[in-house]
Amino acid sequence: MDIQYVNSMNYEKFSYVFGNVIEKCPLVAAAVWSKRPFKDILDLENNIEEFIDSLPQSGKEGILRCHPDLAGKDFLSGSLTVESQGEQRSAGLTTLTPGQVSQLQQLNTSYRDRFHFPFVVCARKSDKDTIIQQLSLRVHNPPEQELLIGMEEVKKICHLRLLDIFDQVSRL
Amino acid sequence: MDIQYVNSMNYEKFSYVFGNVIEKCPLVAAAVWSKRPFKDILDLENNIEEFIDSLPQSGKEGILRCHPDLAGKDFLSGSLTVESQGEQRSAGLTTLTPGQVSQLQQLNTSYRDRFHFPFVVCARKSDKDTIIQQLSLRVHNPPEQELLIGMEEVKKICHLRLLDIFDQVSRL
């Protein structure tokens, strides 16, 4: 991979490649394209983080809301984004017992009811048992803390998606 | 239509109904949901405008970049959003002569090359001849002026889309 290749992309190509590094928020890649050229992958990542950090609280909550529930409706119906599907699978969420699915869905509902955004976690850095345990604990946090934790998880997800893209593009 | 109905929508419903009032930027509706309940349609619109005004310059440029070219590739291939398709049709862009298509595409390219975002205009408040004339003039503006004008056009487009939604929802 070569950052020069990224810097040479026109907007159409850039948004196609990086449009979902923040789940279902193509506006982020559209904004960050203003900041090219990038020195390296870290510089690109820093610009993405800087943009989402610049959003007002409602915008950060909006970013969390663009994420699907873990083992939720989109997961069960097969309508997740390709990225989310791979992430949820890697955490073992395809091998939940019916009891675990039910437990996770109840916890997701409690979490949404309390915070008005979904529970977001970097599934690839976790596994199904840890996710259920974390969700059981995080649902009791104060809202401002959960917003902060959620946004840090969004950044971890973005980091891994960027690494995937750079790895893939290097093989072109 | 009744603002109480909007205020009673869960997030899934709200994002389905209002997700494209800012073209291809579902994050805006996702963010604005934080601001409910809304007093009336104007309050909802004001919150949308406040959110996009709060974005850094790159975010505003990003919003413009999420818009398609007028009579551009998406228009010709039929892959516009439903809203954009209706708007471009209403301005008469389906009845351009081949010469006008070519002229518009050349102007679009010049505009993009200069500003790094597409020419955005509220097509429903215009017509094909005026659009071509405006584009011919606006392409010479300073970038900071075009960013301002473009964002005002985005707000006009949003205003009409909201009116459409409220009109439709009132007939449910």
Side-chain angles (χ1 to χ4, degrees):
Chain A
M1 175 59 194
D2 193 304
I3 195 71
Q4 273 75 37
Y5 178 60
V6 174
N7 289 329
S8 74
M9 290 175 176
N10 64 17
Y11 170 65
E12 195 174 14
K13 175 91 178 170
F14 185 85
S15 64
Y16 178 77
V17 172
F18 295 102
N20 207 45
V21 292
I22 304 296
E23 178 76 8
K24 290 187 180 172
C25 293
L27 174 58
V28 179
V32 164
W33 195 64
S34 291
K35 302 294 189 177
R36 73 199 187 289
F38 306 101
K39 284 193 297 244
D40 47 34
I41 179 172
L42 183 64
D43 185 34
L44 170 59
E45 186 172 352
N46 286 342
N47 272 288
I48 292 168
E49 295 191 356
E50 199 177 296
F51 178 75
I52 63 179
D53 285 341
S54 79
L55 294 173
Q57 180 178 329
S58 64
K60 292 177 179 132
E61 292 173 353
I63 283 190
L64 294 178
R65 283 183 197 120
C66 290
H67 287 71
D69 277 350
L70 291 167
K73 205 162 54 179
D74 292 339
F75 177 80
L76 297 172
S77 69
S79 57
L80 288 175
T81 61
V82 175
E83 294 89 341
S84 278
Q85 195 172 31
E87 289 156 3
Q88 297 206 26
R89 188 189 300 117
S90 83
L93 297 178
T94 46
T95 60
L96 292 171
T97 64
Q100 286 175 317
V101 170
S102 170
Q103 186 185 6
L104 202 46
Q105 288 178 346
Q106 281 174 23
L107 284 166
N108 277 331
T109 302
S110 303
Y111 188 98
R112 272 184 187 273
D113 287 348
R114 178 162 161 79
F115 301 113
H116 309 294
F117 49 75
F119 174 71
V120 174
V121 70
C122 180
R124 280 163 73 184
K125 290 200 163 188
S126 195
D127 60 67
K128 57 186 177 183
D129 295 319
T130 312
I131 285 172
I132 292 173
Q133 188 193 20
Q134 282 191 331
L135 178 44
S136 311
L137 294 172
R138 280 177 48 187
V139 73
H140 301 294
N141 280 341
E144 57 275 20
Q145 188 181 353
E146 264 318 291
L147 183 61
L148 282 175
I149 296 176
M151 292 308 290
E152 287 309 308
E153 296 298 315
V154 166
K155 291 176 185 174
K156 288 181 198 168
I157 295 167
C158 173
H159 176 72
L160 294 181
R161 290 185 180 184
L162 281 172
L163 289 184
D164 279 348
I165 291 168
F166 274 69
D167 187 49
Q168 280 168 19
V169 177
S170 71
R171 293 178 192 174
L172 287 180
Chain B
M1 176 60 198
D2 194 304
I3 195 72
Q4 274 74 36
Y5 179 60
V6 174
N7 289 329
S8 74
M9 290 176 176
N10 63 17
Y11 170 65
E12 196 173 13
K13 175 90 176 170
F14 185 85
S15 64
Y16 179 76
V17 172
F18 296 102
N20 207 45
V21 291
I22 303 296
E23 177 76 8
K24 290 188 179 170
C25 292
L27 173 58
V28 179
V32 165
W33 196 65
S34 291
K35 302 294 187 175
R36 73 198 187 291
F38 306 102
K39 284 193 297 243
D40 47 34
I41 177 172
L42 183 63
D43 186 35
L44 170 59
E45 186 172 352
N46 286 343
N47 272 287
I48 293 168
E49 294 191 357
E50 198 177 298
F51 178 75
I52 62 178
D53 285 340
S54 79
L55 295 174
Q57 179 177 332
S58 64
K60 292 177 179 131
E61 292 173 353
I63 283 191
L64 295 177
R65 282 184 198 118
C66 289
H67 287 71
D69 276 350
L70 291 167
K73 204 161 54 179
D74 292 340
F75 177 80
L76 296 172
S77 68
S79 57
L80 287 176
T81 62
V82 175
E83 294 89 340
S84 277
Q85 196 172 29
E87 289 155 2
Q88 297 205 25
R89 188 188 301 117
S90 83
L93 296 179
T94 45
T95 60
L96 292 171
T97 64
Q100 285 174 317
V101 170
S102 168
Q103 186 187 6
L104 201 45
Q105 289 179 343
Q106 280 173 23
L107 284 166
N108 277 332
T109 302
S110 302
Y111 188 98
R112 272 185 189 272
D113 287 349
R114 177 163 161 79
F115 301 113
H116 309 294
F117 49 74
F119 173 72
V120 175
V121 71
C122 180
R124 281 163 71 183
K125 291 202 164 189
S126 195
D127 61 67
K128 57 186 178 183
D129 295 321
T130 313
I131 285 172
I132 292 173
Q133 188 193 20
Q134 282 191 330
L135 178 45
S136 310
L137 293 172
R138 280 176 50 187
V139 72
H140 301 293
N141 279 341
E144 57 275 21
Q145 188 181 353
E146 265 316 294
L147 183 61
L148 284 173
I149 296 175
M151 292 309 290
E152 287 309 307
E153 296 298 315
V154 166
K155 291 175 184 174
K156 289 180 198 167
I157 295 167
C158 173
H159 176 73
L160 295 180
R161 290 185 180 185
L162 282 172
L163 289 184
D164 280 348
I165 290 169
F166 274 69
D167 188 48
Q168 281 169 18
V169 175
S170 71
R171 293 177 191 175
L172 286 180

